[in-house]
Amino acid sequence: MRIAWPHMGSLEYVLGSVFEELGLDYVLPPPNSQRTLELGARHGPEFACFPLKTTLGNFIEALEAGADTLIMVAGRGPCRFGYYAETQRRILAEAGYDFVMVPLEFEPSRIPLTLKRLKRLKQGRPWISLYRAIKFALHKAHLIDRLEQQALHQRWLDREKGATTEALKRCYRMVWEAGSYQDLARVEKEAFAILRSVPRVEREEIRIGIVGEFYLVLEPYFNLNVEEQLGDLGAYVERNIYLTDWLRPSGERPVLGHHEHGSERLAAPYLSHKVGGEGIFSVGDTILFHRLGFDGVVQLMPFTCMPETIAKSILPQVSQDLGIPVLSLVIDELTGMAGVATRLEAFADLARFRRRARADASGLAPQPALTAR
């Protein structure tokens, strides 16, 4: 059995750690690329949301590299993400690939079936070993999230563009190589020291928050490196979701330090119930970023994403009421880097103007939400 899963931000370090700990064979798909996207778009339905196509491309590349067992999270609900596993299984089977799709569902009624599937995946290893491997991997994920947050907060001060990004890549490798809790404690100190040692310069600060559909927020290649672009434009950046939040569906957000119920309460005047995915959090966390003094919010969403389309229809009113600019970026396989870069540059200028005007106590007209595709 050679197991594979799709890329999503730093997920490879977490799941890879689990399989390394258990001594199980696995295949990492090649890094995301234009070929990944082309494969997914070629085989996926045209109307499917963007992440289905990109993760389908990952699966095809993993199968080409020798994988025979594919893992995908599944479930039910308003968001189509829960149906990716079965949809992709049928697409790949019709394309002639020989493999086994293992959907992992975490709804209470589906836990017995998920445990049965996990039993097959662990290939005879003791349950206690699986538990320990997952626990250790979650510690790694939490550390990676905090390192990524540090990078988001300091990239805008880089004396040399890209220095923080290079330091973060070095930190990823250190976390990956940590084989014990003692190693991880040492790596934590060294990695933060590496990031904080990046030479800085003084710059005028602007603060921009990122909200949106979790896959696009977490996957830098397919969100066109929005976080890095904003940092290079001089923005202190924070995102509303980290990988740990997604891996621990308790509602706690240990990196940001609050519970998602708080976000739901903030969204309530505009959206009183969940609409699937992160739709309600995109609304609530935009309000949260406003309260925290941020100068603008960027919403990332895949083309045809239903929950984020609902949020996008509400955000102009939030923007109007609170006077905080909101830029909605709708991303699909036709979205180009140059177009996104131009819009982010204009948005950063707008946020900078807003901050200066606020500092001068001059009157501000509410900024309507901006939409770009």
Side-chain angles (χ1 to χ4, degrees), residues 312-334:
K312 177 170 163 284
S313 70
I314 294 171
L315 287 174
Q317 188 62 53
V318 176
S319 174
Q320 188 80 20
D321 292 348
L322 304 180
I324 183 170
V326 178
L327 173 66
S328 294
L329 290 175
V330 186
I331 295 176
D332 66 8
E333 58 268 36
L334 301 178

Side-chain angles (χ1 to χ4, degrees), residues 46-110:
E46 183 181 1
F47 56 83
C49 43
F50 189 54
L52 183 141
K53 299 174 187 175
T54 58
T55 53
L56 180 64
N58 287 151
F59 280 148
I60 292 173
E61 291 184 310
L63 292 168
E64 291 174 347
D68 57 18
T69 304
L70 306 177
I71 298 176
M72 191 69 181
V73 175
R76 292 177 290 180
C79 176
R80 289 177 291 184
F81 171 73
Y83 305 103
Y84 281 12
E86 178 58 21
T87 305
Q88 291 170 332
R89 185 192 68 77
R90 295 187 186 193
I91 292 171
L92 293 171
E94 289 176 5
Y97 291 101
D98 184 19
F99 67 100
V100 174
M101 177 67 80
V102 183
L104 298 179
E105 302 174 70
F106 296 97
E107 295 174 22
S109 63
R110 308 291 285 179

Side-chain angles (χ1 to χ4, degrees), residues 119-189:
K119 183 178 180 181
R120 182 181 177 193
L121 286 176
K122 69 185 181 67
Q123 301 171 55
R125 272 59 170 184
W127 282 106
I128 188 65
S129 297
L130 177 62
Y131 169 76
R132 288 171 177 163
I134 292 174
K135 184 180 177 183
F136 186 53
L138 288 175
H139 277 79
K140 284 190 172 184
H142 190 215
L143 175 56
I144 288 173
D145 283 347
R146 288 185 289 128
L147 291 168
E148 289 183 349
Q149 186 185 47
Q150 175 67 29
L152 291 174
H153 292 181
Q154 72 172 52
R155 185 176 281 117
W156 66 288
L157 292 171
D158 281 0
R159 189 169 67 192
E160 293 183 16
K161 192 177 290 186
T164 289
T165 302
E166 288 303 314
L168 183 60
K169 289 178 182 175
R170 186 178 165 192
C171 295
Y172 283 144
R173 288 195 296 273
M174 293 168 63
V175 175
W176 171 253
E177 291 168 358
S180 66
Y181 287 102
Q182 188 176 15
D183 287 346
L184 209 54
R186 174 184 52 78
V187 164
E188 179 174 349
K189 292 180 182 176

